[in-house]
Amino acid sequence: MTQFVDVKNMTRWIHRDGVEPIMAGMVQYLEDDFLRWEKFDKVPRVASHTPFGVIELMPTSDHQEYAFKYVNGHPSNPARGFQTVTAFGMLADVDNGYPTFLAEMTLLTALRTAATSAMVAKRLARPDSTVMAMIGAGSQAEFQALAFRAVLGIDQLRVYDVAPEAVVKLRRNLEPLGFGILAADSTDEAIEGADVITTCTADKARNTILRSDQVGPGVHLNAVGGDCPGKTELEAAILDRGRVFVEYPEQTRIEGEIQQMAPDFPVVEFWKVLAGQEHARCSEGEITIFDSVGFAIADFSALRYLRDATAGTDMQARIDLVADPEDPKDLFSLINSLKPVG
Ligand code: NAD
């Protein structure tokens, strides 16, 4: 039998534990797995591009468990009443190959993306950071804000979105939770005095959400929205001004901000910072850039965390996903056993 967490039970879990404690717990799982980075099978995700968007499969394995996520990215979806990103995913036992755990991952992806951003910012942002600018206030935005408060204590937000209703939505969701929120009329206003700038917009285009002359010394950039070929947010000149930290270079060079740069553009693999093999922030004035695209190992961590946190509760259902005859050599017997009587 396979354990299953559906959307209803995912929301029950988030209510039970709270988004911020989940972020803190998930960061621990992420760090554990990023520190085992070299043990994992790694491959850039398998993407199917169409004029509508992209559908991707993201597999990985630590040779004990195997995981994959199915995820889409359709920037034109909200205008048609659908979400930009939806996902589900699975863990399997490498020993016999059977799936052990299946889960909705639309919410889980938002949690893991934000937890990954916060894990990285904890090492790269200035420790005295209190203000985050957010460019783009869509589905991921509240999760990003909550992760940064849980992990870095940031509770002052300066938010700009081309769609003013997105900022209204974000204020409605976050102000009751105690955030100070400034609704900015422009990117320039949003980034004024910000210690961290999160860009999280959706548009399948080479956009310039942020220009180099807008970025001052000491800022940490959390660039989340550029995660697909032909989809970027930062002016290329920004990338020359600071060190660029990535998840898996082979995938980020295809999908991230650095797709704008030469194939040998220098990057730092973030797991090496955790492992003490690369420096985190070197000086107060340094600009640090996390070119986030989302990598399979983070989904592996998120699935493990969800499974462990809900184990033994009625938030997990047992589902019959694998046809499993008593005699493993007689699959046909299952059809006979289900033959209608009479
Ligand atoms: P969404 O469609 O819900 O929100 C995007 C928001 O960006 C919208 O409110 C839109 O009005 C705003 N926007 C678009 N262009 C803008 C501009 N020029 N300036 C300011 N605001 C602008 O999408 P989402 O689910 O929040 O995802 C945002 C992006 O993050 C997508 O591109 C998605 O693919 C990406 N994403 C990345 C990861 C990762 O791991 N890096 C994970 C999940 C999603």
Side-chain angles (χ1 to χ4, degrees):
M1 287 287 180
T2 306
Q3 299 299 120
F4 175 48
V5 175
D6 64 6
V7 177
K8 186 172 135 232
N9 283 306
M10 177 67 79
T11 54
R12 278 180 69 206
W13 171 58
I14 296 171
H15 274 289
R16 188 196 70 178
D17 289 6
V19 174
E20 286 172 274
I22 286 175
M23 292 297 184
M26 200 176 277
V27 166
Q28 282 181 8
Y29 272 58
L30 285 163
E31 290 183 349
D32 286 350
D33 289 338
F34 273 57
L35 281 168
R36 300 190 295 137
W37 192 261
E38 287 172 295
K39 294 204 160 63
F40 282 88
D41 286 340
K42 294 177 283 297
V43 64
R45 59 185 147 204
V46 183
S48 169
H49 295 278
T50 64
F52 313 108
V54 63
I55 294 178
E56 299 163 333
L57 283 179
M58 303 172 67
T60 190
S61 170
D62 67 353
H63 299 179
Q64 303 229 327
E65 295 195 273
Y66 176 94
F68 79 82
K69 179 170 83 173
Y70 167 103
V71 60
N72 77 300
H74 284 63
S76 61
N77 263 1
R80 304 185 291 155
F82 306 113
Q83 293 180 95
T84 300
V85 176
T86 67
F88 71 92
M90 195 194 83
L91 290 170
D93 185 351
V94 164
D95 182 55
N96 64 0
Y98 280 20
T100 54
F101 185 70
L102 179 71
E104 93 75 40
M105 286 191 77
T106 305
L107 282 160
L108 195 62
T109 293
L111 291 166
R112 83 82 157 103
T113 302
T116 306
S117 287
M119 167 181 73
V120 172
K122 191 171 105 183
R123 297 298 185 306
L124 299 184
R126 290 193 329 274
D128 60 351
S129 297
T130 53
V131 180
M132 176 158 78
M134 304 188 73
I135 315 301
S139 296
Q140 309 301 318
E142 289 88 347
F143 295 90
Q144 288 283 332
L146 286 160
F148 275 77
R149 187 167 73 175
V151 178
L152 288 95
I154 290 178
D155 60 1
Q156 299 301 311
L157 307 175
R158 302 176 65 89
V159 188
Y160 172 66
D161 194 295
V162 282
E165 63 275 14
V167 182
V168 171
K169 176 235 28 168
L170 181 128
R171 290 184 85 151
R172 188 175 65 234
N173 288 333
L174 290 185
E175 266 175 351
L177 302 181
F179 282 92
I181 300 174
L182 178 121
D185 289 327
S186 64
T187 300
D188 278 322
E189 190 186 356
I191 63 178
E192 221 178 282
D195 306 302
V196 174
I197 302 175
T198 290
T199 54
C200 196
T201 64
D203 191 3
K204 196 164 181 188
R206 293 280 177 99
N207 278 338
T208 303
I209 302 301
L210 208 56
R211 295 187 315 273
S212 178
D213 63 273
Q214 292 173 302
V215 180
V219 165
H220 174 63
L221 289 178
N222 173 38
V224 179
D227 62 349
C228 197
K231 184 163 166 245
T232 54
E233 295 182 310
L234 305 183
E235 186 183 19
I238 296 176
L239 306 172
D240 282 321
R241 288 180 55 205
R243 278 184 303 152
V244 176
F245 296 80
V246 302
E247 293 137 321
Y248 181 55
E250 288 83 343
Q251 182 177 307
T252 312
R253 289 191 194 282
I254 300 168
E255 304 177 347
E257 297 301 324
I258 56 169
Q259 66 186 276
Q260 306 176 74
M261 313 306 272
D264 59 351
F265 179 77
V267 294
V268 180
E269 293 181 59
F270 179 73
W271 72 268
K272 291 186 177 174
V273 175
L274 281 182
Q277 296 178 22
E278 291 276 359
H279 291 296
R281 167 172 290 274
C282 293
S283 71
E284 276 271 299
E286 181 183 5
I287 293 170
T288 51
I289 301 147
F290 176 38
D291 188 358
S292 160
V293 293
F295 188 59
I297 293 176
D299 296 312
F300 180 97
S301 313
L303 282 165
R304 282 202 312 113
Y305 183 60
L306 170 66
R307 179 196 53 200
D308 294 354
T310 56
T313 74
D314 67 355
M315 288 181 259
Q316 291 190 8
R318 283 162 68 86
I319 56 165
D320 205 2
L321 192 62
V322 175
D324 197 12
E326 216 159 277
D327 175 358
K329 291 185 180 165
D330 188 4
L331 180 61
F332 203 77
S333 66
L334 279 184
I335 297 171
N336 281 339
S337 71
L338 292 174
K339 205 186 279 176
V341 183

